[in-house]
Structures are given as C-alpha cells and as structure tokens.
Amino acid sequence: MKVNMIQALNQAMDLELQSNPDLVVYGEDVGKDGGVFRVTDGLQAKHGSHRVFDTPLAEAGIIGLGIGMAAYGLHPVAEVQFSGFMYPGLNQLISHASRIRNRSRGRFSCPLVVRTPCSGGVKAPEHHSESSEAYYIHTPGLKVVMPSTPTDAKGLLTSSMREKDPVIFLEPLRLYRAFKEEVPEEQYATPLGEAFIRQPGEDITLITWGTMTLACKEALETISQNEKWSIELIDLRTLSPIDWDIIHKSVRKTGRCVIAQEAPQTLGLASEVMARILENDLLSLEAPVRRVTGFDTIMPLLKNEEHFIPHADRIYAAIQDVMRF
Amino acid sequence: MPLTQIAQFGVNRLSILDENGKADEKLLPPLTPPQLIALYIHMLQLRIFDDKALKLQRQGRIGTYASSLGQEACTVGSAFALKNQDWTFPAFREHGVFFTRGVEMVKTLQYWGGDERGSDPGEGQNCFPVSIPVGSQPLHAVGCALGMKYKKRDAVAVGYMGDGGTSEGEFHEAMNAAGVFNAPVILICQNNQYAISVARKNQTAAQTLAQKAIAYGIEGLQVDGNDVLACYLATSIAREKAISGKGPTFLEFETYRIGDHTTADDSTRYRTKEEIAAWRAKDPIARFETFLLAKGILSPSLIDQIKQEAVAKVEKAVQAYETMPPQKIEDLFDHMYAITPKDLAEQKRAYVGFRQTHGKENQPDTIGPGFP
Ligand SMILES: Cc1ncc(C[n+]2csc(CCOP(=O)(O)OP(=O)(O)O)c2C)c(N)n1
C-alpha cells in the first residue's frame, strides 16, 4: 500500500508495540489526540493507555522520565511536539541521556528514542521550523537520525526502537505528507549509520539530508534538462554516526562536492563534512567544496521563510560554480 | 513523639458577578461608568477581532491563529488594572492584553500573518512580544520585576501562562524566585482547562492551580476568569501589594477556551459539545453586559453603537495589514545584532544579489494550512 511518512512512522510503532512488550510510546497529546500530526493516531486505542499515554506539558519531564524508564528496562519512545521545544529538555539529554553508559562504565544504558518534527517549509508559527540537528550531533553519546522518505522513516525508526543507546529521531515536517510511496507492510529495520545513494553519478557529489533531499532532486531535474553533468546524490539519513566511507569514496570518484543543508551555515553539519573531505580527500579535489545553507539568522516567520530555506535555484547555482571552477 | 500538624493552608476564590450578571455589591471595584464601559468595549473588540482573525485564517490571509474566544475577561480585566510603566510578558493567547494596553491591532495581524514587524509593540509600549515556547516567559517577568525593585520604580511586571504552562520546569523556577526575591511581580495563569488535548486533571493532580503558590511561600488566589470585575480587582490588589513591597501574587483565572486550541487543532477529538455548551452559558461578555444594562450604564442603542465602532476598528486594522508593503529581504538580517557582523552582512549582500540576478526578488508568500 502507498503511504506517506506519517503513516509509515505509525506502522513502525504499531508493529514494534506488538513485538516488544517493553516498548512504551508517550508525550504531549500522543494518546487521545494521536499526536498533533497524528503520527501516533490509533495507537492508544489499540495498545492501551498503559503503553501509549499523554504526559503533562514538560519536555524536561518527558525526556527525564524516559531516562528512568530506559534504565529500568523499558524501551521508551517519546514524542516532543516540535524540535523548537526540545530546548527545555536539552539538559536531560546532554547532562544525562547521552552520558549514562559512559558515566556508569557500561553498567547502565539509556535506550530512549525521542521523536520530534523538524525543519521548515510548512508556514508554521515561530519555533516550529528550525533545523537544530547540529546541537544533537555535537553531543557525544547520542545517535541522530533524519529520514527523507516513508520507506526509510519506517525502517530507521524500527532500528532506533531496537537501539541500545539514546536516539534523536528528527522528522522533517515538510516531508510528512509531501508524497506517498509503496512501503513494505511487514516489520523491517534499516540499519543506522548507513547513508544511501539516491542517484549514482560521476562528475560531482551532492550531499544532503532531510528536507533538502527534495530541493536537491528538484535541482537535479533542472540540471538534467540543461546540462550533461552526471551527479551523485547522497542522502546521509543518519547524521550521527555518519557514514564517512560512502562520502570519501564518492568524492574521490567525482573530485567535486556540494553540500546542502537547511540549518544556519556556521558550525552546521555541512561544516564537518567539508572538514573531513579536506582532511581525507584533498588531493582528489578538482574544485573547492561548496555549501548551500540557511543563513546565520533566526528562521523568519512564515511570510519570509522561503528566503531562508535553500531552494533548488541556490543548489543549482552552487553546482554550476563548482563544475565551472 | 505524636504526629503534629505544623502548618495549615487554604485557597480562596474571588468572584463578583454571578452567571446571571448579578454582583456582590460589597466587592465591586471602584470603577467609574466610563471605565466600566471601556472594559466592555475592550472585551467586545477582542471578540470581534478573534472572529475576524479566524475568518482570515480560513481564507489564507493569515497563518495559524490562537483564538481567545471565551477568555476575554482574563486579558482585558488584568491589563486594565495596569499602568503604562508596568510590563507584560504574554504567552500566545493574550491578544487582549496588547489591545487593552494600547498596542495597535494591526500588529497582532502582522505577527500571526508571519511578518516579524508585528512583534514590535511600538514606541513606549512595555509589552514583550508573544512567547511561543510554553512556560518560559514567567521567569522574564520575575527578572523584570527585580529590575523594578532595584531601580525603586513604582511598577510591576506581569507574566502570563496557561494551565499547561504550569507543568514546565521554568514555571516553578519563576514562582520560586519570585518568592525568594520578594519580587514585585504578578504571575497570571489563564486556566482554560486544556493544553491542546490534555485536560487540566491530566496536567496536575492538584485540586487547584492557585495552591501551587503555597509551596513557594507566595500568595495564590483563584479568580472567576469569566468575571471581568473579579479579574480586574484581583490584579489591582496584587499590583498595590507588589508596589508597596509586599511581594508577588499568583492568580489562577479559571476560564474556558470555547474554540479550538488553534486553527490547526480539531477539539472534537477530545471535548464534548455538552461541556462547551455549559461553559458558553458562563459567557464573560454577556454576563457583564447584563450587569451594565441593569445598572443603566449601558443601553441597547449604546451597545449597537459600540459594536459598530468595534467592527470598524477591526476592519481598519485588517486593511492596514493587507496594504502594508512587504518586508524587504534585508529585514531578515538587520535585527540579529546591534551592529551586523561582517560575515552576516556578507551573507545578506550575497543573497540580495543572488535574488536580483535570479529574479523572484520576493518569493511567493502564500500561507498554507498552518500547524499547532
Ligand atoms: C515548550 C513548548 N512545548 C510545547 C509547545 C507546543 N504547544 C503549543 S501550545 C501548547 C499547549 C499550551 O497549553 P496551555 O499552557 O494550557 O495554554 P493554552 O493553549 O490553553 O492557552 C503546546 C503543548 C510549545 N509551544 N512550547
């Protein structure tokens, strides 16, 4: 059956609730309301309110409770309504969730999944559109995942729910209902830490993740009409740990690279990717690596967010620059 | 050692106008007829504004909007008790506070329409912009109040939040600090019974929200939030108390959100028609209107006139909003720092240049369905 990302995520949780009696799904509005985006729709009715439940409005509470439940042997899957509201919970994530294993010398662990919608492009109010993945990637001990298709969403969430360490699962809002695809009905797990080549190519490597995969595909379509370049599009899918092998292999083959991210420019993931390419692949490069990013500004309110989000035309222009260097 | 009781606490509730608009005359605040009419006008304007904003959202002319239908007494009553030198720190459902304090209506339309310029309250307005993160801003009110105390000003700071907001950690930090520092602050909770779909009883096991003050050693009071006179009086008394150095107050305004949480919400998933109807019967405007009519302060013809003027005022704001020239691209970069750093100035220059060469100087600003 063809499903969108919301339905795929719902299936992943439904199946995992069936097969893992220790799994619990909880957060603000996830129970009766099925989540404000309906990602948990129907799960409470099916699995009971002891396994799928609403919490008071408190992100530190949600994440902190999850740490305790996880330490005791449950597998908590928490929803934080928007990544813009993760910040009250950051203390719990950074000071505790990410460090339990290390602090207890491996005695205790924190297999907690925090799901939260991220990124912009849907004309939401303030704090509903930020791309904040860098905060999490910068925290050792956390795994960070961001799917860009329904198929990946289901498989990656299933893996996340079987992880032995805390996972931040970022769901790009714009992709929630952007398109449907055929998704296997059964349970399947897509390994974390493996990037995916969405389109193979020879002349230039285009690296991206999350919402930007759409803009990149749009840019590739325009380019294929106007130019003869063969472009390799890599979707990172897991942002921590990163699949460096796929990146180095591709850049060494093509000798050129553009990285597209929606987050602000400075110290975003694109900066790290660029640094690693310089460290490892410098002698393969035929042109400087370029980034296309959001600006070092606050994400504007809805009338102007389209200026902030890098669109296909900016990605195309960067590819042109690099190809014609 | 026998078990001994070492402390005992109680919670008071203030209500002046009953559901039929009959007042407890002993409690009536000393307001003049023009002041009473002003209160009525503010509430009616707010209701007409809310209604218009919902329509604009449905027509794609503004983005997601949070209605305050049914909660007019809380924001209007409390803000009416304040003076210019006082500061307010609102959540996102406090349009009535802005309007009552004199911030232009067009600002609220701009803000919810997705234009940052709506967040500037205007010269001399001590109104902090909307806080979308829930429960964060009460701390700012306490901090501001500390500033007032430090500078020995006759002013108070008021922080607003919802019932859901009282679950956030920062709410408790604000309450605690307010008590410890004896800050001239009023923290007001609009308890409208829901935080999106989560009912008040699932938000806290406490019998009242007002009693939360007890644990922090400050005074808490429950107020009938559908009674504008009670909201006004409670805030006035709290203000006097704060200014005379007697410390902070936490007010629970007990009310009800008649509409959906926002235009992105569907409250039929978690509320019954019967429940809404029961609260509609407690309408704050109808109740106050009955009271004013009985007192001879309002007349049916005056009500008509007030309504017409309110509609005209709202329409004028809508027109001002829709004829406003769009924000310039530069505006995205210009308010990040007092002096724009070189690198950011370069990002701005490059992007403005890029847009000029690639056309689409101002990209489409259509407004989608919006989100919670
Ligand atoms: C820190 C934070 N978490 C979550 C949200 C998403 N959210 C927006 S409004 C809301 C409910 C707020 O309820 P309440 O405080 O009772 O105020 P009300 O909306 O009822 O006026 C939630 C959960 C948010 N804005 N901020």
Side-chain angles (χ1 to χ4, degrees):
Chain A
M1 203 180 56
K2 284 198 162 191
V3 299
N4 63 24
M5 189 181 283
I6 289 179
Q7 295 162 310
L9 291 165
N10 185 283
Q11 282 182 12
M13 283 184 276
D14 186 13
L15 293 168
E16 203 65 14
L17 278 161
Q18 282 172 46
S19 62
N20 178 359
D22 289 332
L23 197 86
V24 292
V25 170
Y26 69 107
E28 291 159 17
D29 301 291
V30 305
K32 204 166 180 184
D33 210 24
V36 292
F37 290 104
R38 310 285 177 249
V39 181
T40 55
D41 205 14
L43 297 181
Q44 185 176 63
K46 189 165 170 188
H47 300 280
S49 55
H50 60 303
R51 300 195 64 199
V52 180
F53 53 92
D54 286 324
T55 62
L57 204 179
E59 292 74 16
I62 291 170
I63 296 174
L65 291 174
I67 293 171
M69 287 192 275
Y72 191 68
L74 297 189
H75 208 129
V77 181
E79 176 175 299
V80 167
Q81 219 154 66
F82 275 92
S83 60
F85 307 131
M86 282 288 286
Y87 309 124
L90 278 192
N91 179 42
Q92 289 293 333
L93 265 186
I94 297 174
S95 305
H96 297 289
S98 66
R99 310 173 77 106
I100 303 287
R101 179 181 300 284
N102 184 272
R103 184 185 293 143
S104 68
R105 301 286 88 194
R107 174 70 50 206
F108 303 120
S109 66
C110 181
L112 160 73
V113 182
V114 182
R115 296 179 32 247
T116 186
C118 69
S119 312
V122 297
K123 308 286 184 193
E126 194 187 354
H127 297 284
H128 291 65
S129 305
E130 279 80 356
S131 297
S132 49
E133 63 267 24
Y135 296 122
Y136 313 115
I137 300 169
H138 202 63
T139 304
L142 296 180
K143 293 194 169 177
V144 185
V145 181
M146 196 191 293
S148 72
T149 66
T151 309
D152 273 0
K154 182 171 172 181
L156 291 167
L157 182 57
T158 303
S159 288
S160 301
M161 292 186 289
R162 295 173 185 177
E163 265 291 314
K164 295 186 166 40
D165 287 306
V167 178
I168 308 304
F169 195 88
L170 300 165
E171 302 168 0
L173 266 177
R174 186 177 230 169
L175 304 181
Y176 263 162
R177 300 189 178 100
F179 60 96
K180 291 187 171 186
E181 64 183 15
E182 207 64 52
V183 169
E185 264 177 47
E186 68 279 5
Q187 222 173 358
Y188 61 93
T190 307
L192 304 192
E194 290 182 12
F196 187 73
I197 298 180
R198 298 234 165 257
Q199 174 184 303
E202 303 298 326
D203 300 328
I204 181 168
T205 303
L206 177 58
I207 299 172
T208 196
W209 55 93
T211 40
M212 284 292 101
T213 51
L214 277 195
C216 286
K217 279 191 186 151
E218 206 186 304
L220 293 193
E221 266 170 41
T222 323
I223 291 173
S224 70
Q225 285 157 18
N226 303 334
E227 325 271 359
K228 292 205 177 60
W229 308 324
S230 153
I231 298 173
E232 181 144 298
L233 175 62
I234 298 179
D235 175 356
L236 292 181
R237 304 196 297 193
T238 303
L239 311 186
S240 182
I242 285 201
D243 188 350
W244 293 114
D245 292 346
I246 226 175
I247 294 175
H248 296 314
K249 205 167 146 210
S250 176
V251 172
R252 284 181 191 167
K253 175 177 69 175
T254 62
R256 293 183 164 86
C257 182
V258 168
I259 309 153
Q261 80 179 16
E262 187 169 324
Q265 176 177 303
T266 301
L267 285 181
L269 178 55
S271 316
E272 178 65 21
V273 173
M274 224 166 165
R276 295 281 191 130
I277 291 173
L278 291 182
E279 278 177 350
N280 291 281
D281 315 316
L282 182 67
L283 298 181
S284 314
L285 289 177
E286 296 183 36
V289 180
R290 281 281 309 269
R291 282 174 294 180
V292 188
T293 72
F295 305 112
D296 291 332
T297 66
I298 286 168
M299 174 63 143
L301 293 184
L302 55 93
K303 280 228 168 111
N304 279 303
E305 70 176 344
E306 299 297 324
H307 283 299
F308 182 95
I309 300 171
H311 278 285
D313 54 355
R314 282 176 64 199
I315 296 167
Y316 186 5
I319 291 175
Q320 277 177 324
D321 273 5
V322 172
M323 290 305 296
R324 293 181 180 150
F325 177 78
Chain B
M1 284 291 273
L3 198 60
T4 48
Q5 187 176 46
I6 55 162
Q8 216 180 344
F9 303 102
V11 181
N12 291 327
R13 178 181 167 94
L14 176 68
S15 173
I16 301 173
L17 286 179
D18 71 12
E19 285 173 32
N20 305 315
K22 268 192 87 70
D24 182 335
E25 299 283 333
K26 296 188 301 298
L27 290 175
L28 278 182
L31 288 168
T32 63
Q35 285 177 311
L36 291 167
I37 290 183
L39 270 177
Y40 178 76
I41 291 175
H42 280 304
M43 286 205 283
L44 206 63
Q45 278 179 355
L46 177 57
R47 180 159 295 183
I48 289 168
F49 178 91
D50 256 329
D51 185 54
K52 183 73 188 181
L54 289 178
K55 291 194 177 105
L56 294 177
Q57 193 279 335
R58 277 187 223 114
Q59 295 161 357
R61 291 154 76 187
I62 63 169
T64 305
Y65 178 73
S67 152
S68 62
L69 179 62
Q71 300 182 219
E72 294 87 351
C74 303
T75 50
V76 171
S78 60
F80 201 76
L82 304 180
K83 303 251 184 324
N84 272 346
Q85 67 268 29
D86 299 333
W87 282 61
T88 43
F89 295 82
F92 48 81
R93 210 182 289 285
E94 272 85 21
H95 327 303
V97 172
F98 287 110
F99 301 162
T100 307
R101 303 201 72 201
V103 177
E104 287 175 73
M105 269 182 186
V106 65
K107 297 279 184 184
T108 297
L109 288 173
Q110 270 182 297
Y111 177 78
W112 293 96
D115 180 336
E116 276 85 7
R117 292 173 299 181
S119 284
D120 170 6
E123 193 62 36
Q125 295 287 359
N126 297 324
C127 294
F128 239 51
V130 166
S131 169
I132 296 284
V134 167
S136 320
Q137 74 284 2
L139 274 167
H140 312 160
V142 177
C144 180
L146 292 184
M148 290 163 169
K149 193 174 163 185
Y150 180 83
K151 299 210 169 186
K152 301 193 166 56
R153 295 281 148 76
D154 277 342
V156 300
V158 185
Y160 289 87
M161 75 225 67
D163 41 307
T166 65
S167 296
E168 292 279 5
E170 286 150 302
F171 163 76
H172 298 275
E173 299 182 27
M175 294 278 279
N176 192 48
V180 167
F181 294 113
N182 198 41
V185 71
I186 308 171
L187 297 176
I188 294 180
C189 173
Q190 288 202 66
N191 169 9
N192 65 6
Q193 314 298 336
Y194 283 89
I196 308 189
S197 70
V198 178
R200 216 286 283 151
K201 73 170 188 336
N202 298 324
Q203 199 64 244
T204 172
Q207 192 187 336
T208 68
L209 295 176
Q211 76 199 56
K212 296 203 178 251
I214 295 169
Y216 299 105
I218 67 181
E219 187 187 340
L221 176 70
Q222 191 182 72
V223 179
D224 181 345
N226 283 20
D227 171 0
V228 70
L229 294 178
C231 295
Y232 168 81
L233 183 64
T235 314
S236 298
I237 293 172
R239 185 178 188 280
E240 281 310 308
K241 182 180 118 188
I243 280 183
S244 59
K246 298 199 185 95
T249 309
F250 176 60
L251 299 174
E252 173 192 2
F253 287 178
E254 209 202 7
T255 183
Y256 193 80
R257 185 191 87 212
I258 298 289
D260 292 327
H261 167 68
T262 65
T263 46
D265 173 48
D266 170 12
S267 61
T268 62
R269 289 175 75 97
Y270 55 84
R271 299 197 307 194
T272 62
K273 282 201 198 75
E274 294 71 35
E275 184 183 291
I276 300 171
W279 276 93
R280 269 193 189 275
K282 304 183 192 190
D283 189 287
I285 298 187
R287 185 188 301 192
F288 191 45
E289 194 175 278
T290 313
F291 167 77
L292 293 176
L293 283 167
K295 288 262 173 205
I297 293 170
L298 263 189
S299 65
S301 66
L302 187 53
I303 294 176
D304 272 351
Q305 188 195 327
I306 290 171
K307 270 189 188 150
Q308 277 171 26
E309 284 169 10
V311 170
K313 185 166 177 180
V314 170
E315 288 301 332
K316 213 174 131 201
V318 174
Q319 213 201 352
Y321 162 68
E322 299 208 305
T323 52
M324 192 87 58
Q327 264 179 299
K328 292 210 167 66
I329 297 176
E330 289 86 333
D331 197 59
L332 308 184
F333 300 86
D334 286 346
H335 303 286
M336 291 303 305
Y337 302 92
I339 298 168
T340 304
K342 249 202 235 159
D343 182 44
L344 190 57
E346 175 52 28
Q347 288 183 23
K348 166 170 120 178
R349 194 199 58 74
Y351 185 62
V352 171
F354 180 82
R355 277 285 149 245
Q356 276 160 2
T357 50
H358 282 74
K360 291 197 285 183
E361 236 164 284
N362 275 303
Q363 301 211 333
D365 63 349
T366 51
I367 294 169
F371 284 92

